[in-house]
Amino acid sequence: MNMKSMFKPIQREIFLLIFLFLGIKMPGFCQRTYEKGYVVFAKQDTVQGFIDYKNWEYSPSEIAFKTSLDQEAKIYTAYDVATFFIEKNRELYDAHQLSYIPIYPDIVYRQLPYNRVLKNLFLQRLWSNGTVFLYNANISEGHKDRFWVKKNGVMTELVHYTFRRQYNNVVYEANISEYEQQLKELTKDATHFSGKKPSYTSQSLVQYLHEYNEALDGTKEYTPVKDKYDWYIGLSGSLETFNFDENSKGNNPTCGTSVRVNLPRNFNNAFIKASYHITTGLSVWNYDKKMYENELLKAFEFSAGYYLGHSSVQPFYSLGLGMYKLKYDVGGVFFPSVGVSYKKKIELEVTRFMDFMSLLGIADKHLLVPPRISLSYHFKL
């Protein structure tokens, strides 16, 4: 491969990468996504408006709220606001003061953890019947998902966590699990209720409390919208020089289709994607005829990635594995990619391929292939 033809795609790649990473600091990436909803202030005043919805990874201690989209938002803490509601997903959050023991997975404890942390947080309400409430707390210290039940005004953590403990110079995984007995105690007022043992997950705990409520008196329940996966079908067009030997023959047009799924709730920025691409007119060296021939390249790819931020314009990255097929050749590739997305629908992406056989040192091919630059549109199902 001559240096001039090799340098041009690398120039383009470097330019796009610089643009993307610098762009993260641009105002467009810092935009906030306001969703319609309401807040209930500590004085029990309910105000309709718009809440900066961040699809929180951890339970928030404050929110940004405005009564109309054309005004400045104000920040309210879990001391100021008692409840807020996101209309789009029917997500309801209540402010609570929590006292809990942080459990860090990378710490080896010589004795049972006992130091407590006191925090005011907004907890998502997963279920309630007006008397009993189930909350999910995504704790930033250690174990992420922890559950609380509130009954008769008393908040109780459903205890279930593991930690690394050292005893007699032996490190092992210890487990503290009290939630099953706690649930039996909390639901003993339903005389004829004997629910199936729940696992420590939101779905299982909600089902358990639903059955308890039916055994009690069947009063009206609150549950948010069920977690859902967002599915997209994508169409793409791109240019690439998918050539491993010494003579690159220029860029080739590529078309493709994909199926992408974005994970629910706190993981909505994470995605998994399967793609199929066809490259026409690929110039491949025929060793028998000692000449170049145009072939059709078919590529099957599987990747996982993540969108950064919560605005309409989001940079993203992914890692993937792929298999390509030519008339006389089949191979595998590993590839990282970076890109920028508008509303998770229009995407500009740069993908760099690395040949498996070259990575393993068992093939006389270039490790790196010039990048694919693609533009795609995704239809939400």
Side-chain angles (χ1 to χ4, degrees), residues 3 20 23 81 134 140 161-162 201 228 262 308 350 355 368:
M3 292 300 293
L20 288 171
V81 170
L134 174 67
S140 58
Y161 46 77
T162 58
T201 63
K228 64 185 182 70
N262 285 69
L308 304 175
V350 180
D355 182 67
L368 295 175

Side-chain angles (χ1 to χ4, degrees), residues 362-373:
I362 58 178
D364 186 19
K365 295 180 179 180
H366 291 299
L367 172 61
L368 295 175
V369 182
R372 173 201 294 156
I373 302 173

Side-chain angles (χ1 to χ4, degrees), residues 267-338:
F267 305 98
N268 191 247
N269 274 351
F271 65 87
I272 299 171
K273 183 168 69 173
S275 309
Y276 174 68
H277 297 273
I278 295 177
T279 303
T280 59
L282 187 70
S283 183
V284 178
W285 181 255
N286 187 315
Y287 288 93
D288 294 328
K289 297 180 180 179
K290 300 190 183 304
M291 60 181 291
Y292 282 99
E293 292 183 340
N294 288 337
E295 287 194 21
L296 183 70
L297 171 74
K298 300 176 182 179
F300 305 87
E301 298 168 5
F302 181 83
S303 60
Y306 196 83
Y307 294 94
L308 304 175
H310 300 282
S311 64
S312 297
V313 180
Q314 296 174 281
F316 66 90
Y317 62 88
S318 67
L319 294 173
L321 300 173
M323 183 189 78
Y324 65 87
K325 184 179 185 304
L326 293 164
K327 188 175 181 181
Y328 299 110
D329 190 17
V330 175
V333 290
F334 167 77
F335 58 90
S337 69
V338 294

Side-chain angles (χ1 to χ4, degrees), residues 113-263:
Y114 62 88
N115 289 323
R116 287 188 169 271
V117 170
L118 195 65
K119 276 189 178 181
N120 279 59
L121 299 172
F122 290 108
L123 307 185
Q124 185 180 8
R125 190 189 298 183
L126 299 179
W127 181 91
S128 75
N129 65 356
T131 304
V132 180
F133 301 80
L134 174 67
Y135 293 102
N136 174 220
N138 291 324
I139 303 298
S140 58
E141 301 97 344
H143 280 253
K144 185 178 176 184
D145 286 312
R146 294 165 75 159
F147 299 96
W148 265 260
V149 169
K150 180 181 176 182
K151 184 175 182 180
N152 299 325
V154 178
M155 286 284 284
T156 303
E157 180 183 3
L158 299 179
V159 177
H160 178 73
Y161 46 77
T162 58
F163 60 96
R164 298 173 67 202
R165 188 179 182 188
Q166 181 176 331
Y167 184 74
N168 288 338
N169 295 322
V170 176
V171 176
Y172 64 97
E173 189 174 84
N175 177 268
I176 296 179
S177 185
E178 302 171 0
Y179 76 96
E180 294 172 28
Q181 187 58 42
Q182 289 174 307
L183 287 172
K184 288 180 181 178
E185 184 67 23
L186 286 164
T187 58
K188 67 181 182 181
D189 52 340
T191 311
H192 303 292
F193 173 65
S194 57
K196 180 183 177 182
K197 173 183 173 182
S199 60
Y200 198 75
T201 63
S202 58
Q203 184 176 358
S204 184
L205 292 171
V206 166
Q207 180 61 30
Y208 181 88
L209 291 175
H210 168 70
E211 293 172 5
Y212 155 72
N213 187 63
E214 287 191 330
L216 195 62
D217 58 9
T219 55
K220 187 176 180 181
E221 303 172 73
Y222 163 82
T223 54
V225 172
K226 289 185 177 180
D227 293 346
K228 64 185 182 70
Y229 294 81
D230 293 331
W231 290 86
Y232 295 83
I233 296 293
L235 299 175
S236 66
S238 55
L239 289 175
E240 63 180 298
T241 309
F242 200 89
N243 207 324
F244 291 108
D245 62 30
E246 291 295 329
N247 295 295
S248 173
K249 304 299 286 185
N251 292 318
N252 300 95
T254 298
C255 61
T257 184
S258 64
V259 176
R260 191 187 78 216
V261 57
N262 285 69
L263 305 187

